[in-house]
């Protein structure tokens, strides 16, 4: 997940350009990758082309839910299928059928399985389907795979075909997040009827995702992305605005890429140096706090733009401001509700605490306290209720799942500390008679004479001397 931000072009004060290429690793830390995950299902929305519900057997040319492109759709019976999958004819050369594969991240190995058939349209002649019909399948980062359906040489124009369905597979490595899967007709004969074109049915997909990189710093969570349907948005503004209401969006965490971890240790308070010849023991009060970070605000900052009001999660680091955002920002509520539902514990945007520690420091040693905060990182999507806008976000905050670590430590002095301890006590000089013996005693003085300097407090006390 550690990704560099490509050069971003500022489109205007209201938005920011999102990257169109995969994001490369910037981590200067050693890579600590998780074990390679197993193959997992990828949601292909409306992969049977059943929605919207169609009347009759077709063909119809209405838009198919979650897919982009107008194509000819047939009922399962008219497609010659024995399951509930509808057949979709790709029409003529250059026409496409497209969908972004939700949740797939750049670098994942994806396998798409589907079935194809020559056209069942009664407009087809035997010659047009005898040797099969050509089309292409491709996806972001993958090769263009040229395919020809099975042939149907016994066809007679005016008689619908029965379908000759053949299982296919297309394998690719995702070149971007949410890769775009595309089927394209390559029927070029101008005499061919628009309905007489290769057919696709029952699309399914699985992936082997990349291992989660847990070395990514919380201050560099990557670039957030926004989509409307299958189209990438050039800015986050519209997607964030779509979530600006109590129930306008729901946050959907991706549990595969969300995790808990201990952050790097940091020194809390001062180091106490014992320059004496004796052991020292004392108590001191330590105060410490943690804040959250999010990829949305980091994306705006990296683009040099002011953070949009509706996208302001409680991650500013200003406690007063963040407490206000918790109450007023709908996206903060949407995120917190989803977290509590999935992990059965509340999300906290910030935390603070105090501890009293007792230190026992040996001569020539230094004492200090380090803290390793417990944190968790949640990756997922803000999805509008109409499922038209999707906004990807990563949020990193203090965790309630496991306690913070406080490490009370003592150790030898550094060379600089040794030099400081060896330094002479600051003194002043005696300019006159520095080498002379001490003068006679003051025995016999019964009263302290009144001070003569102006402004000096007078004293009439007597002081008996032995």
């Amino acid at each position: 997940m550690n990704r560099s931000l490509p050069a971003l072009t500022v489109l205007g004060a209201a938005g920011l350009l999102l990257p169109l290429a995969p994001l490369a690793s910037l981590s200067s830390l050693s890579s600590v990758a998780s074990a390679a995950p197993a193959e997992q299902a990828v949601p292909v929305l409306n992969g049977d082309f059943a929605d919207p519900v169609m009347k009759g057997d077709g063909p119809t040319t209405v838009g198919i839910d979650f897919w982009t492109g107008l194509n000819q759709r047939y009922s399962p019976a008219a497609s010659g299928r024995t399951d509930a999958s509808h057949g979709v004819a790709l029409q003529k050369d250059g026409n496409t059928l497209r969908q972004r594969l939700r949740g797939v991240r750049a670098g994942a190995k994806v396998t798409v399985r589907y079935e194809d058939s020559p056209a069942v349209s009664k407009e087809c002649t035997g010659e047009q389907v005898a040797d099969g019909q050509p089309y292409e399948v491709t996806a972001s980062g993958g090769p263009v795979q040229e395919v020809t359906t099975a042939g149907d040489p016994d066809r007679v124009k005016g008689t619908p075909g029965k379908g000759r369905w053949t299982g296919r597979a297309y394998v690719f490595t995702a070149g971007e997040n949410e890769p775009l899967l595309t089927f394209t007709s390559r029927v070029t004969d101008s005499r061919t009827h628009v309905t007489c074109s290769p057919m696709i049915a029952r699309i399914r997909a699985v992936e082997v995702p990349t291992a989660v990189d847990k070395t990514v710093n919380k201050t560099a969570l990557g670039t957030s992305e926004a989509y409307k349907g299958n189209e990438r948005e050039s800015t986050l503004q519209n997607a964030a605005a779509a979530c600006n209401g109590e129930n306008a969006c729901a946050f959907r965490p991706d549990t595969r890429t969300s995790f808990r971890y201990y952050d790097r240790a940091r020194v809390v308070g001062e180091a106490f140096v014992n320059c004496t010849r004796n052991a020292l023991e004392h108590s001191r009060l330590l105060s410490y706090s943690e804040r959250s970070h999010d990829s949305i605000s980091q994306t705006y900052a990296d683009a040099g733009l002011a953070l949009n009001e509706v996208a302001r999660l409680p991650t500013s680091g200003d406690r007063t401001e963040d407490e206000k955002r918790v109450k007023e920002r709908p996206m903060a509520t949407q995120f917190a509700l989803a977290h509590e539902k999935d992990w059965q514990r509340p999300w906290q945007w910030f935390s603070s605490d105090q501890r009293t520690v007792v230190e026992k420091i040996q001569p020539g040693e230094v004492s200090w306290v380090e803290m390793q905060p417990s944190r968790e990182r949640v990756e997922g999507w803000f999805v509008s209720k109409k499922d038209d806008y999707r906004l990807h976000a990563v949020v990193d905050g203090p965790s309630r799942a496991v306690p913070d670590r406080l490490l009370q430590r003592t150790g030898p002095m550094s060379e600089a500390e040794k030099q400081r301890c060896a330094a002479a006590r600051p003194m002043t000089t005696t300019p006159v008679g520095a080498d002379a013996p001490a003068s006679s005693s003051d025995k016999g003085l019964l009263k302290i004479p009144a001070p003569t300097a102006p402004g000096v407090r007078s004293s009439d006390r007597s002081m008996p001397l032995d």
Side-chain angles (χ1 to χ4, degrees):
M1 278 188 30
N2 198 15
R3 292 165 274 179
S4 67
L5 295 172
L8 297 174
T9 302
V10 178
L11 296 182
L16 56 144
L17 184 66
L18 293 175
L20 298 178
L23 300 168
S25 175
L26 254 189
S27 177
S28 59
L29 306 173
S30 59
S31 177
V32 183
S34 305
E39 190 174 79
Q40 302 171 6
V42 173
V44 178
L45 304 183
N46 197 22
D48 290 334
F49 307 118
D51 297 316
V53 176
M54 65 181 295
K55 298 179 180 179
D57 288 330
T60 60
T61 55
V62 296
I64 303 171
D65 290 355
F66 303 110
W67 293 89
T68 300
L70 292 177
N71 298 272
Q72 302 288 325
R73 186 169 59 141
Y74 294 78
S75 70
S79 302
R81 300 191 57 83
T82 58
D83 59 9
S85 297
H86 295 60
V88 172
L90 298 176
Q91 300 198 66
K92 298 177 73 172
D93 186 39
N95 191 63
T96 61
L97 176 69
R98 310 189 309 275
Q99 182 180 135
R100 287 195 179 272
L101 299 180
R102 269 68 163 174
V104 176
R105 311 303 289 163
K109 182 179 180 181
V110 184
T111 302
V112 179
R113 295 185 175 88
Y114 64 98
E115 297 179 34
D116 67 16
S117 170
V120 297
S121 171
K122 63 181 181 180
E123 301 295 335
C124 296
T125 64
E127 178 185 1
Q128 291 169 338
V129 294
D131 298 322
Q133 295 180 294
Y135 66 95
E136 292 176 352
V137 56
T138 188
S140 307
V144 175
Q145 183 168 296
E146 299 178 351
V147 188
T148 300
T149 69
D152 193 1
D154 300 327
R155 291 285 297 281
V156 176
K157 186 174 181 180
T159 303
K162 298 180 179 179
R164 292 180 177 267
W165 293 99
T166 303
R168 306 286 186 181
Y170 175 68
V171 181
F172 70 99
T173 298
E176 65 174 345
N177 300 327
E178 305 273 293
L180 185 64
L181 175 66
T182 305
F183 296 90
T184 306
S185 174
R186 287 297 176 231
V187 174
T188 59
D189 190 345
S190 61
R191 297 171 299 172
T192 301
H193 193 276
V194 68
T195 61
C196 186
S197 56
M199 301 180 67
I200 304 296
R202 200 177 187 277
I203 302 177
R204 302 290 187 268
V206 294
E207 69 166 327
V208 178
T210 56
V212 178
D213 183 0
K214 297 183 179 180
T215 66
V216 177
N217 194 285
K218 59 183 179 291
T219 60
L221 297 173
T223 304
S224 285
E225 303 160 323
Y227 298 87
K228 185 176 183 181
N230 294 316
E231 302 303 320
R232 181 191 291 266
E233 291 278 280
S234 61
T235 74
L236 305 184
Q237 181 178 349
N238 291 337
C243 295
N244 191 27
E246 185 176 353
N247 297 309
C249 285
F251 185 78
R252 298 178 184 172
D254 188 342
T255 57
R256 304 171 305 168
T257 52
S258 302
F259 57 91
R260 302 195 307 265
Y261 70 101
Y262 277 110
D263 205 356
R264 290 178 174 177
R266 69 174 188 267
V267 176
V268 181
E270 300 81 15
F272 199 103
V273 183
N274 184 2
C275 293
T276 73
R277 296 183 176 88
N278 303 308
L280 296 179
E281 184 172 324
H282 73 114
S283 299
R284 62 167 160 160
L285 182 66
L286 297 175
S287 300
Y288 52 90
S289 61
E290 286 289 299
R291 54 166 290 198
S292 292
H293 301 264
D294 75 273
S295 61
I296 297 175
S297 61
Q298 291 173 12
T299 300
Y300 275 85
D302 289 325
L305 296 172
L307 181 60
N308 192 276
E309 177 71 25
V310 297
R312 293 180 181 177
L313 293 174
T315 59
S316 71
D318 181 319
R319 185 66 173 263
T320 302
E321 171 65 18
D322 287 341
E323 287 176 345
K324 178 182 177 182
R325 292 183 184 184
V326 167
K327 298 176 182 178
E328 297 180 357
R329 294 271 64 85
M331 290 175 65
T333 302
Q334 294 157 12
F335 179 88
L337 288 174
H339 180 275
E340 186 163 359
K341 180 179 178 181
D342 273 36
W343 283 281
Q344 298 299 304
R345 63 177 181 274
W347 173 262
Q348 57 181 5
W349 294 99
F350 36 77
S351 66
S352 59
D353 207 348
Q354 291 184 331
R355 289 286 186 275
T356 299
V357 298
V358 178
E359 296 177 301
K360 188 171 184 178
I361 316 169
Q362 298 301 321
E365 286 195 337
V366 182
S367 173
W368 71 97
V369 176
E370 294 179 359
M371 177 194 176
Q372 266 193 293
S374 165
R375 299 185 66 87
E376 58 186 307
R377 186 167 299 172
V378 179
E379 181 173 350
W381 296 86
F382 288 96
V383 182
S384 66
K385 287 297 183 182
K386 295 181 180 180
D387 203 28
D388 49 357
Y389 282 107
R390 305 191 308 284
L391 173 57
H392 180 263
V394 183
V395 180
D396 189 299
S399 175
R400 293 174 180 262
V402 291
D404 297 331
R405 288 173 176 161
L406 283 177
L407 295 84
Q408 189 170 347
R409 303 183 63 180
T410 59
M413 296 181 190
S414 68
E415 288 302 317
E417 289 165 339
K418 290 178 182 178
Q419 292 174 13
R420 182 65 259 169
C421 284
R425 177 166 57 95
M427 294 292 289
T428 188
T429 61
T430 303
V432 178
D435 297 331
S439 62
S440 61
S441 70
D442 293 330
K443 286 187 176 181
L445 183 63
L446 298 178
K447 289 187 177 182
I448 301 175
T452 58
V456 177
R457 181 164 54 91
S458 176
S459 174
D460 293 329
R461 292 181 302 157
S462 63
M463 180 182 292
L465 300 174
D466 294 334

